[in-house]
Amino acid sequence: MDTDVIVVGAGPTGLMLAGELRLGGARVTVVESLTEPTGQSRGLGFTARTMETLDQRGLLPRFGTVETSPMGHFGGVQFDYSVLPDAHFGARGLLQSQIEDVLEKWAVEQGAELRRGWELRGLTDGPEGVEITVQTPEGPRSLRARYLVGCDGGHSTVRKLGGFDFPGIPASRGMYLADVYGCELRPRFLGEKLPNGMVMAAPLGEGVFRIIVCEHGTPASDGSRSVSFAEVADAWQRITGESIHGGGAHWVSSFTDAARQVGQYQRGRVLLAGDAAHIHLPAAGQGLSAGIQDAANLGWKLAAVVRGWAPEGLLETYHAERHPAGARLLMNSRAQGTVFLGGAEADPLRLLFTELIGGYDVVKQHLAGMVSGLDIRYDLPDADHPLVGRRLPPRELTGPAGSVRTPELLHSGGGVLLDLTDDAGLRSAAAGWTDRVVVTVAAGPRPDDLSSVPAVLVRPDGYVAWVGDDADGLRTALRRWFGAPVTAQESEPTETAGAAGSPVAVGSSAAGRR
């Protein structure tokens, strides 16, 4: 094999996946048809849960100052997302090109190989591995790996060559997206509905505006035809009565409201993630974020398989967990499109949403959780405790050596056993897994939402796999998610002081790589 995993596509999903795979100790090669990044930024920012995911890997400081806004919307109906703990409308003003740059540098630092100008032409999925043929600047060549993951977008070549079905709702309307300059525009951050359609405009700095133009009656395009700035300017004028023809555009693009999702996220040794697995109307930055969440869920599991310690059925949980999350994303984005982009026939629905959001906090909490990604709960076995299947919230804890934020415990990419009562019996029960799970004591004062929790087993993606104080239950959960224990001769746990400012850690602090 040339590598363990081939990732096709160097967008946010593929680059995040490459970094995750390397943290787990898998060899990975990223194949990208473009010789260099386009610099285009369809995505702007990411959701609250994706911000937490990047924090778990220590990546947030690389973005500089990250601004968030408590005010968001659902289908254009504005409300305050902070009605839900930890929720906000997401990181603002971060261009997709900047996100890709950060993730590419991180993945390469971890040891991922990036091959630009390599275009996928063929794919053979066999019982022992996958072989692809690619066209490179030096000519055709082949590459073999144990697994292949398609992260190559909505028009995914991997999806087509791999024989995945892609059912869903076909596009009913076309829309335009552009970064324009030399235009005097009034900001329309949440969009403005007018008789002929909807427009959005947000300043990006240095005289550049991101605009979205949704004119009623614009036919859907299959993406094969390029769009001119003149077409976008004409549509803007028909909707607003304003002319932007005197300006220009750094780039223009079109998109549709098609909503499709593959039936299976895995066929044989080929898997899909991000837009290759699901496409939908852009709504609140959820598309880019869903791809990063797919990668965070898949990366550690696939690395465990190729490293040889994965328990039976671990890789299958990728589809079981992320397919329902993708289906829910398609549902909420279609609902928002109906409310926000529909004509007069959608007015009753808009009025109803306005009434519900304006009058009931429980509705706001539900919608804020859905759009932010904070309400995701995977259907895990023995989920008796309300935390099981949900993400571990970012909280500051105190242990013998000082304080630590919970996201910092996941920087290494391994699992975490968080001992909140200084229970030596639980630490002893976890002794056989210290090459994959860092055991951390934090028995000091705790925030209210963790005040009654004795111990928490957290997966590498930040989701809680077990809560309790029973050693046998902990061993069962460890076997389910982290495979068989090593023998005492292979791994003797020792108590060592953690990094500066962190609690005492039991066992290895390099849990991810082996």
Side-chain angles (χ1 to χ4, degrees), residues 47-50 52-53 56-57 289-290 292-294 296-298 300-301 321-322 325 369 372-380 386-393 410 414-416 456-467 481-482:
T47 63
R49 176 55 193 152
T50 298
E52 290 182 356
T53 299
Q56 290 170 183
R57 297 299 182 252
S289 293
I292 289 178
Q293 294 300 310
D294 286 348
N297 186 286
L298 174 60
W300 70 276
K301 297 173 181 177
E321 293 174 358
R322 292 306 299 169
S372 68
L374 297 181
D375 74 342
I376 292 174
R377 186 178 191 185
Y378 297 136
D379 185 15
L380 305 190
L387 259 182
V388 174
R390 298 188 183 277
R391 102 276 191 224
L392 179 69
L410 293 158
V416 174
V456 184
L457 178 64
V458 187
R459 305 188 323 187
D461 58 356
Y463 284 83
V464 175
W466 173 86
V467 171
W481 295 107
F482 297 99

Side-chain angles (χ1 to χ4, degrees), residues 128-155:
E128 302 299 325
V130 180
E131 182 172 0
I132 65 170
T133 55
V134 292
Q135 183 64 38
T136 79
E138 291 76 35
R141 64 169 295 179
S142 62
L143 201 64
R144 298 184 69 238
R146 294 182 61 185
Y147 288 89
L148 180 144
V149 186
C151 303
D152 50 340
H155 298 286

Side-chain angles (χ1 to χ4, degrees), residues 237-308:
Q237 186 167 24
R238 286 192 294 268
I239 297 172
T240 66
E242 305 167 1
S243 175
I244 60 173
H245 290 84
H250 290 300
W251 59 273
V252 297
S253 182
S254 64
F255 63 99
T256 73
D257 59 351
R260 297 185 181 276
Q261 182 182 29
V262 293
Q264 292 290 326
Y265 279 23
Q266 178 180 5
R267 294 192 76 226
R269 291 179 174 270
V270 181
L271 302 101
L272 299 177
D275 289 349
H278 41 74
I279 61 170
H280 56 89
L281 182 75
Q286 294 182 91
L288 183 151
S289 293
I292 289 178
Q293 294 300 310
D294 286 348
N297 186 286
L298 174 60
W300 70 276
K301 297 173 181 177
L302 188 52
V305 171
V306 301
R307 294 295 292 166

Side-chain angles (χ1 to χ4, degrees), residues 361-382:
D361 279 351
V362 66
V363 174
K364 298 175 189 175
Q365 291 166 353
H366 183 83
L367 296 178
M370 178 186 294
V371 175
S372 68
L374 297 181
D375 74 342
I376 292 174
R377 186 178 191 185
Y378 297 136
D379 185 15
L380 305 190
D382 304 322

Side-chain angles (χ1 to χ4, degrees), residues 443-483:
R446 287 176 274 166
D448 291 344
D449 51 359
L450 295 177
S451 61
S452 62
V453 177
V456 184
L457 178 64
V458 187
R459 305 188 323 187
D461 58 356
Y463 284 83
V464 175
W466 173 86
V467 171
D469 57 8
D470 175 62
D472 288 337
L474 173 60
R475 291 189 190 95
T476 298
L478 285 164
R479 286 181 178 274
R480 176 178 292 126
W481 295 107
F482 297 99

